[in-house]
mmCIF file of all heavy atoms in Angstrom:
data_model
loop_
_atom_site.group_PDB
_atom_site.id
_atom_site.type_symbol
_atom_site.label_atom_id
_atom_site.label_comp_id
_atom_site.label_asym_id
_atom_site.label_seq_id
_atom_site.Cartn_x
_atom_site.Cartn_y
_atom_site.Cartn_z
ATOM 1 N N PHE A 823 159.457 -83.164 -134.392
ATOM 2 C CA PHE A 823 160.241 -82.893 -135.537
ATOM 3 C C PHE A 823 159.789 -83.412 -136.911
ATOM 4 O O PHE A 823 160.214 -82.942 -137.941
ATOM 5 C CB PHE A 823 161.692 -83.313 -135.258
ATOM 6 C CG PHE A 823 162.388 -82.652 -134.205
ATOM 7 C CD1 PHE A 823 162.758 -83.211 -133.050
ATOM 8 C CD2 PHE A 823 162.649 -81.230 -134.312
ATOM 9 C CE1 PHE A 823 163.370 -82.484 -132.007
ATOM 10 C CE2 PHE A 823 163.252 -80.560 -133.352
ATOM 11 C CZ PHE A 823 163.682 -81.114 -132.171
ATOM 12 N N THR A 824 158.818 -84.317 -136.887
ATOM 13 C CA THR A 824 158.356 -84.903 -138.154
ATOM 14 C C THR A 824 156.882 -84.441 -138.381
ATOM 15 O O THR A 824 156.161 -85.091 -139.267
ATOM 16 C CB THR A 824 158.444 -86.380 -138.190
ATOM 17 O OG1 THR A 824 157.728 -86.998 -137.064
ATOM 18 C CG2 THR A 824 159.823 -86.813 -138.124
ATOM 19 N N PHE A 825 156.296 -83.562 -137.603
ATOM 20 C CA PHE A 825 154.882 -83.143 -137.629
ATOM 21 C C PHE A 825 153.920 -84.301 -137.675
ATOM 22 O O PHE A 825 153.045 -84.513 -138.452
ATOM 23 C CB PHE A 825 154.631 -82.256 -138.911
ATOM 24 C CG PHE A 825 155.465 -81.046 -138.912
ATOM 25 C CD1 PHE A 825 156.542 -80.902 -139.794
ATOM 26 C CD2 PHE A 825 155.113 -79.986 -138.137
ATOM 27 C CE1 PHE A 825 157.294 -79.720 -139.805
ATOM 28 C CE2 PHE A 825 155.809 -78.847 -138.170
ATOM 29 C CZ PHE A 825 156.891 -78.645 -138.943
ATOM 30 N N GLY A 826 154.099 -85.098 -136.549
ATOM 31 C CA GLY A 826 153.155 -86.220 -136.292
ATOM 32 C C GLY A 826 153.367 -87.299 -137.281
ATOM 33 O O GLY A 826 152.374 -87.886 -137.657
ATOM 34 N N LEU A 827 154.639 -87.575 -137.687
ATOM 35 C CA LEU A 827 154.924 -88.549 -138.665
ATOM 36 C C LEU A 827 154.063 -88.264 -139.931
ATOM 37 O O LEU A 827 153.419 -89.118 -140.545
ATOM 38 C CB LEU A 827 154.664 -89.978 -138.170
ATOM 39 C CG LEU A 827 155.532 -90.398 -137.041
ATOM 40 C CD1 LEU A 827 155.188 -91.821 -136.549
ATOM 41 C CD2 LEU A 827 157.057 -90.434 -137.451
ATOM 42 N N ALA A 828 154.150 -87.041 -140.362
ATOM 43 C CA ALA A 828 153.453 -86.484 -141.533
ATOM 44 C C ALA A 828 151.913 -86.628 -141.465
ATOM 45 O O ALA A 828 151.224 -86.715 -142.464
ATOM 46 C CB ALA A 828 153.951 -87.157 -142.820
ATOM 47 N N GLY A 829 151.371 -86.595 -140.242
ATOM 48 C CA GLY A 829 149.956 -86.715 -140.010
ATOM 49 C C GLY A 829 149.457 -88.161 -139.855
ATOM 50 O O GLY A 829 148.342 -88.301 -139.254
ATOM 51 N N PHE A 830 150.165 -89.105 -140.288
ATOM 52 C CA PHE A 830 149.700 -90.483 -140.185
ATOM 53 C C PHE A 830 149.752 -90.979 -138.741
ATOM 54 O O PHE A 830 148.928 -91.635 -138.278
ATOM 55 C CB PHE A 830 150.480 -91.431 -141.096
ATOM 56 C CG PHE A 830 150.286 -91.179 -142.511
ATOM 57 C CD1 PHE A 830 151.302 -90.603 -143.351
ATOM 58 C CD2 PHE A 830 149.022 -91.479 -143.174
ATOM 59 C CE1 PHE A 830 151.082 -90.388 -144.695
ATOM 60 C CE2 PHE A 830 148.866 -91.239 -144.552
ATOM 61 C CZ PHE A 830 149.850 -90.704 -145.277
ATOM 62 N N GLY A 831 150.865 -90.725 -138.019
ATOM 63 C CA GLY A 831 151.060 -91.144 -136.679
ATOM 64 C C GLY A 831 150.001 -90.388 -135.807
ATOM 65 O O GLY A 831 149.378 -91.045 -134.862
ATOM 66 N N TRP A 832 149.766 -89.193 -136.136
ATOM 67 C CA TRP A 832 148.756 -88.386 -135.302
ATOM 68 C C TRP A 832 147.331 -89.103 -135.509
ATOM 69 O O TRP A 832 146.580 -89.259 -134.471
ATOM 70 C CB TRP A 832 148.651 -87.011 -135.897
ATOM 71 C CG TRP A 832 147.499 -86.192 -135.313
ATOM 72 C CD1 TRP A 832 147.381 -85.673 -134.061
ATOM 73 C CD2 TRP A 832 146.261 -85.923 -136.081
ATOM 74 N NE1 TRP A 832 146.160 -85.035 -134.077
ATOM 75 C CE2 TRP A 832 145.474 -85.117 -135.214
ATOM 76 C CE3 TRP A 832 145.830 -86.135 -137.312
ATOM 77 C CZ2 TRP A 832 144.231 -84.712 -135.611
ATOM 78 C CZ3 TRP A 832 144.621 -85.704 -137.733
ATOM 79 C CH2 TRP A 832 143.760 -84.974 -136.841
ATOM 80 N N LEU A 833 146.958 -89.470 -136.744
ATOM 81 C CA LEU A 833 145.664 -90.096 -136.915
ATOM 82 C C LEU A 833 145.477 -91.462 -136.275
ATOM 83 O O LEU A 833 144.556 -91.789 -135.708
ATOM 84 C CB LEU A 833 145.415 -90.196 -138.451
ATOM 85 C CG LEU A 833 144.064 -90.741 -138.843
ATOM 86 C CD1 LEU A 833 142.981 -89.840 -138.437
ATOM 87 C CD2 LEU A 833 144.035 -90.924 -140.392
ATOM 88 N N ILE A 834 146.622 -92.209 -136.347
ATOM 89 C CA ILE A 834 146.622 -93.567 -135.702
ATOM 90 C C ILE A 834 146.514 -93.411 -134.176
ATOM 91 O O ILE A 834 145.785 -94.085 -133.553
ATOM 92 C CB ILE A 834 147.864 -94.312 -136.086
ATOM 93 C CG1 ILE A 834 147.830 -94.709 -137.597
ATOM 94 C CG2 ILE A 834 148.089 -95.552 -135.260
ATOM 95 C CD1 ILE A 834 149.130 -95.264 -138.148
ATOM 96 N N ASP A 835 147.241 -92.403 -133.627
ATOM 97 C CA ASP A 835 147.161 -92.206 -132.158
ATOM 98 C C ASP A 835 145.667 -91.771 -131.711
ATOM 99 O O ASP A 835 145.218 -92.190 -130.731
ATOM 100 C CB ASP A 835 148.178 -91.148 -131.686
ATOM 101 C CG ASP A 835 149.544 -91.720 -131.551
ATOM 102 O OD1 ASP A 835 149.724 -92.937 -131.648
ATOM 103 O OD2 ASP A 835 150.470 -90.906 -131.253
ATOM 104 N N LEU A 836 145.118 -90.912 -132.558
ATOM 105 C CA LEU A 836 143.760 -90.477 -132.314
ATOM 106 C C LEU A 836 142.787 -91.615 -132.244
ATOM 107 O O LEU A 836 141.924 -91.781 -131.287
ATOM 108 C CB LEU A 836 143.344 -89.442 -133.334
ATOM 109 C CG LEU A 836 142.227 -88.510 -133.017
ATOM 110 C CD1 LEU A 836 142.605 -87.630 -131.921
ATOM 111 C CD2 LEU A 836 141.905 -87.626 -134.251
ATOM 112 N N ILE A 837 142.895 -92.561 -133.167
ATOM 113 C CA ILE A 837 142.049 -93.744 -133.199
ATOM 114 C C ILE A 837 142.354 -94.653 -132.023
ATOM 115 O O ILE A 837 141.445 -95.224 -131.351
ATOM 116 C CB ILE A 837 142.249 -94.495 -134.569
ATOM 117 C CG1 ILE A 837 141.625 -93.671 -135.666
ATOM 118 C CG2 ILE A 837 141.530 -95.872 -134.516
ATOM 119 C CD1 ILE A 837 141.982 -94.160 -137.032
#
Side-chain angles (χ1 to χ4, degrees):
F823 289 115
T824 61
F825 296 106
L827 297 175
F830 293 111
W832 169 77
L833 184 62
I834 291 170
D835 281 354
L836 204 60
I837 293 169

